[in-house]
Amino acid sequence: MRVTYGSVAELAAALRRAEAAHGRYEEETGQADPDWPEWYAQYMVDEQAERPGPAEPGAGT
């Protein structure tokens, strides 16, 4: 799937949403996620496809 953002502001907002969702995920698991870049990427792809974000790293890939 191709993911595009119309502006720097849109990309920054998507990163902020991913950060917030990932923070909740780490709170739920009680541990830091060293694979956070993959988690963010999947979350952002899923968000553009209007699917729920991953529940865990690598989910939905």
Side-chain angles (χ1 to χ4, degrees):
M1 166 177 227
R2 181 179 209 151
V3 178
T4 60
Y5 293 92
S7 68
V8 170
E10 279 185 27
L11 176 56
L15 285 164
R16 287 185 186 98
R17 289 189 300 275
E19 175 189 28
H22 189 257
R24 290 188 297 274
Y25 167 75
E26 286 186 323
E27 285 179 12
E28 289 172 9
T29 64
Q31 57 187 335
D33 176 15
D35 295 322
W36 66 266
E38 288 82 6
W39 199 101
Y40 275 41
Q42 188 64 56
Y43 182 91
M44 293 167 71
V45 167
D46 289 346
E47 183 180 62
Q48 278 211 345
E50 298 182 2
R51 296 187 305 248
E56 59 185 60
T61 57

